[in-house]
Amino acid sequence: MAKLQAPPAQAQQAEDEFARFFARSLDLLCVAGLDGYFKYLNPAWTAGLGWTLEELKARPFLDFVHPDDREATQAEVRKLAEGAATILFENRYRHQDGSFRWLQWNAGLVPGRQEIYATARDVTRQKWLEREILEVVDREKERVGRDLHDGLCQTLAGIAALGSTLSRMLAASSEPAPSAM
């Protein structure tokens, strides 16, 4: 059975539309080979990480991954090579200024092409905000603990001591007086 093909003008129009989408996406779009190199990258990579597209394609993509995230990244690439999809994988990529950005990935292998199609989004600010929230929660837990210890606990200890004193006083006053015989 013969494959239906779009007329050349429609095929070119579709290709041009795809190229515009790829170039204008705010997310980091890429095609990477199982050989460990980027094949295609959209301009958002330069805007997000500071490297030129040529610099990113010239070195293995693991060179840009934070050393602590390389093993997990390699494991994710192996899973992709076996046909599994990657949904919400996170790792850190080196910015040209030496800092690292947190990227959140979705990716899949193109069957028969040995290529990974992937999108990544910079979630560095979100990670920073999450860390800030956890720090605030920890500080508040500590403050409440101190307030309970210094305030309520001291008050309860005072009430317990007063109650014990009152109990002894009541016990002493309720004892019968010695009778004279």
Side-chain angles (χ1 to χ4, degrees):
M1 185 181 270
K3 266 185 148 178
L4 294 176
Q5 292 186 1
Q10 285 180 335
Q12 185 60 47
Q13 183 180 4
E15 196 171 308
D16 291 346
E17 193 67 29
F18 173 75
R20 274 193 297 280
F21 168 77
F22 194 82
R24 292 193 173 133
S25 174
L26 298 176
D27 285 335
L28 302 144
L29 304 178
C30 70
V31 177
L34 291 178
D35 63 357
Y37 285 84
F38 289 119
K39 306 301 180 191
Y40 303 100
L41 298 159
N42 70 334
W45 283 86
T46 298
L49 295 177
W51 304 98
T52 66
L53 300 182
E54 292 72 30
E55 289 171 319
L56 288 162
K57 289 191 274 186
R59 295 169 40 195
F61 55 75
L62 280 176
D63 284 0
F64 298 97
V65 174
H66 190 283
D68 294 344
D69 298 340
R70 287 187 184 152
E71 188 176 318
T73 302
Q74 288 173 319
E76 203 63 35
V77 170
R78 283 192 297 276
K79 285 176 27 185
L80 284 163
E82 294 168 0
T86 292
I87 308 295
L88 298 180
F89 173 74
E90 292 180 350
N91 65 2
R92 291 165 286 180
Y93 260 63
R94 183 183 313 277
H95 189 280
Q96 192 202 25
D97 68 9
S99 66
F100 284 90
R101 303 292 193 273
W102 278 98
L103 300 183
Q104 187 177 75
W105 294 87
N106 291 310
L109 183 72
V110 178
R113 301 228 10 207
Q114 301 298 296
E115 291 179 333
I116 300 166
Y117 283 31
T119 63
R121 177 168 288 161
D122 186 338
V123 293
T124 306
R125 181 163 168 71
Q126 178 182 333
K127 290 283 193 182
W128 179 80
L129 289 172
E130 288 171 0
R131 188 175 59 245
E132 284 293 310
I133 288 169
L134 290 174
E135 288 174 6
V136 167
V137 167
D138 286 344
R139 283 194 306 268
E140 281 304 298
K141 282 181 185 176
E142 192 175 301
R143 185 190 63 76
V144 167
R146 266 193 324 273
D147 288 352
L148 286 173
H149 180 269
D150 296 345
L152 183 60
C153 287
Q154 299 302 324
T155 302
L156 290 174
I159 291 170
L162 184 58
S164 178
T165 301
L166 286 173
S167 177
R168 281 194 308 275
M169 289 173 63
L170 282 173
S173 68
S174 66
E175 288 180 7
S179 56
M181 284 206 191

